[in-house]
Amino acid sequence: MNRTISRVLKKFGIAVLVALLFKVLFFRLIDFLEPDLFIIPFIVLILWEGNTYIDWQLEKRYSWLGNTKQRIFSQFIVSLIFTAISLFLLMNFLHFIKFGEIRLFNRAIRQMFIPAIIITFLGLVSYISSQFFRAWNQSLVEIEKYKTASATAQLENLKNQLNPHFLFNNLSVLSSLVYQNQDKAVDFINELSKVYRYVLDSKNAELVSLQEELDFLEHYMYLLKIRFGSSITFVLNISAPDKSLYLPPMCLQMLVENTIQHNETSQAKPLQVTIFTEKNRLLITNPIQPRSDKAKSSQTGLKNMQVRYQYFTDEKIEIIRTDKTFTVILPLLLKP
């Protein structure tokens, strides 16, 4: 409330200063304290609020940064038309108050109309410039904020993929294979190296194609199938055009890892993970099979993924949980 009153008083103070300046420049000294001195500030406020409303409406259609040329052109044209018509009517109203008559094209109004338009034009230039640079500065702040958030999320994501549990589980599997099947152990080592190679290669990438993620997932699924055997199956149905779309790296692996972390994967309860695309979206779904030893989830991985997506699109990651299934829907993006 106090802030609103302060803003109104500030505007009125500026309007009074403009009125005083106008009287000094275009009226004789003996006419300085005539009643119109107290009316002109209200005329200034009407023009000010009208142009503010125009700015608010244009912001819905043309943003300062996304449609700069259209916004500047529209702002000048619409504001000048509004200002010219309003000034003409208000100055005739002021003339009527002073002289008790209306003459639309009298000499006094003609003499003051052009200077008033010029002053308004200069005011518009100042206002539009300040709005543009404010929007530009805000965009720089937003970009830096998203870059920082994205970098933090990517670092957290990388740390998650290189966590000791992941390495320990796979080394345990490898140690068993070395004694049971050396050829298979060699294949396992090759696939494990490809997984870590992709992790290292993509850690600085902002976006990768879905095809790249699927190629990586193939190596990752190989490790999981060796580890869990028939206790886990994957069903993929990816349309060819969607493979050329983009998403942040490591998203698929993290979501697959989540399904294993939070669901029982056993011969008694095999886990099926279904991955498919639909309407430029990637869906990862699995049945809900709560583990008896399941730890409480902080959902840090999903939060990090959402932060990374915010840097590239306004589309949101969707999470759908029913009594039987858990589904995550990722937007697929056009080429960056």
Side-chain angles (χ1 to χ4, degrees), residues 41-162:
F42 292 98
I43 294 177
V44 173
L45 285 174
I46 290 172
L47 296 176
W48 189 341
E49 292 300 322
N51 280 292
T52 300
Y53 179 77
I54 289 171
D55 178 71
W56 178 62
Q57 289 294 327
L58 289 176
E59 181 66 25
K60 298 178 181 179
R61 180 169 297 184
Y62 306 117
S63 67
W64 282 108
L65 298 178
N67 301 278
T68 305
K69 292 182 180 179
Q70 296 94 322
R71 179 61 182 274
I72 292 176
F73 179 78
S74 302
Q75 192 95 26
F76 270 118
I77 296 300
V78 177
S79 292
L80 281 177
I81 291 174
F82 164 77
T83 301
I85 294 174
S86 299
L87 266 178
F88 182 76
L89 296 175
L90 291 170
M91 289 176 71
N92 274 282
F93 175 71
L94 184 60
H95 183 81
F96 174 76
I97 291 177
K98 289 181 66 174
F99 303 106
E101 63 176 1
I102 294 179
R103 286 192 296 169
L104 296 181
F105 299 101
N106 67 78
R107 179 173 172 272
I109 290 178
R110 289 199 304 271
Q111 288 177 339
M112 289 187 293
F113 184 75
I114 298 301
I117 285 290
I118 292 174
I119 290 175
T120 303
F121 178 80
L122 294 175
L124 280 175
V125 170
S126 176
Y127 178 77
I128 289 174
S129 298
S130 66
Q131 289 289 88
F132 173 77
F133 284 109
R134 185 180 292 111
W136 181 58
N137 184 63
Q138 183 63 30
S139 73
L140 293 179
V141 172
E142 290 295 320
I143 288 173
E144 288 304 315
K145 182 180 74 173
Y146 282 132
K147 280 185 176 179
T148 301
S150 181
T152 302
Q154 288 185 24
L155 177 60
E156 187 64 31
N157 185 65
L158 180 60
K159 288 165 60 180
N160 288 339
Q161 309 321 317
L162 298 176

Side-chain angles (χ1 to χ4, degrees), residues 16-274:
V16 170
L17 289 176
V18 173
L20 292 173
L21 178 64
F22 192 77
K23 290 286 283 188
V24 168
L25 293 177
F26 302 108
F27 287 83
R28 296 174 300 174
L29 187 60
I30 59 174
D31 299 327
F32 189 81
L33 294 177
E34 288 188 353
D36 57 5
L37 176 62
F38 304 98
I39 299 175
I40 293 175
F42 292 98
I43 294 177
V44 173
L45 285 174
I46 290 172
L47 296 176
W48 189 341
E49 292 300 322
N51 280 292
T52 300
Y53 179 77
I54 289 171
D55 178 71
W56 178 62
Q57 289 294 327
L58 289 176
E59 181 66 25
K60 298 178 181 179
R61 180 169 297 184
Y62 306 117
S63 67
W64 282 108
L65 298 178
N67 301 278
T68 305
K69 292 182 180 179
Q70 296 94 322
R71 179 61 182 274
I72 292 176
F73 179 78
S74 302
Q75 192 95 26
F76 270 118
I77 296 300
V78 177
S79 292
L80 281 177
I81 291 174
F82 164 77
T83 301
I85 294 174
S86 299
L87 266 178
F88 182 76
L89 296 175
L90 291 170
M91 289 176 71
N92 274 282
F93 175 71
L94 184 60
H95 183 81
F96 174 76
I97 291 177
K98 289 181 66 174
F99 303 106
E101 63 176 1
I102 294 179
R103 286 192 296 169
L104 296 181
F105 299 101
N106 67 78
R107 179 173 172 272
I109 290 178
R110 289 199 304 271
Q111 288 177 339
M112 289 187 293
F113 184 75
I114 298 301
I117 285 290
I118 292 174
I119 290 175
T120 303
F121 178 80
L122 294 175
L124 280 175
V125 170
S126 176
Y127 178 77
I128 289 174
S129 298
S130 66
Q131 289 289 88
F132 173 77
F133 284 109
R134 185 180 292 111
W136 181 58
N137 184 63
Q138 183 63 30
S139 73
L140 293 179
V141 172
E142 290 295 320
I143 288 173
E144 288 304 315
K145 182 180 74 173
Y146 282 132
K147 280 185 176 179
T148 301
S150 181
T152 302
Q154 288 185 24
L155 177 60
E156 187 64 31
N157 185 65
L158 180 60
K159 288 165 60 180
N160 288 339
Q161 309 321 317
L162 298 176
N163 69 74
H165 293 290
F166 176 79
L167 183 59
F168 175 79
N169 289 332
N170 284 286
L171 288 178
S172 297
V173 173
L174 180 59
S175 64
S176 299
L177 287 176
V178 168
Y179 292 104
Q180 298 173 6
N181 188 329
Q182 292 185 3
D183 290 337
K184 203 168 189 178
V186 171
D187 291 338
F188 189 89
I189 292 172
N190 288 333
E191 295 299 316
L192 183 60
S193 67
K194 290 175 183 178
V195 166
Y196 273 83
R197 171 56 60 188
Y198 182 80
V199 170
L200 295 175
D201 288 345
S202 64
K203 68 183 177 69
N204 293 322
E206 293 183 332
L207 294 173
V208 295
S209 69
L210 178 57
Q211 181 64 66
E212 292 176 87
E213 280 284 279
L214 292 171
D215 291 341
F216 162 68
L217 187 64
E218 184 176 345
H219 303 304
Y220 186 73
M221 288 189 301
Y222 177 89
L223 300 180
L224 294 177
K225 288 176 181 177
I226 295 297
R227 177 180 165 192
F228 292 104
S230 59
S231 297
I232 187 167
T233 58
F234 295 91
V235 177
L236 277 70
N237 185 12
I238 310 295
S239 67
D242 289 331
K243 291 180 180 180
S244 61
L245 298 177
Y246 287 75
L247 72 166
M250 306 299 294
C251 286
L252 266 179
Q253 184 273 337
M254 195 213 77
L255 293 175
V256 170
E257 183 69 22
N258 273 356
T259 65
I260 297 170
Q261 181 182 352
H262 301 300
N263 293 278
E264 181 178 343
T265 306
S266 63
Q267 292 291 336
K269 282 191 175 182
L271 180 67
Q272 177 175 295
V273 181
T274 304

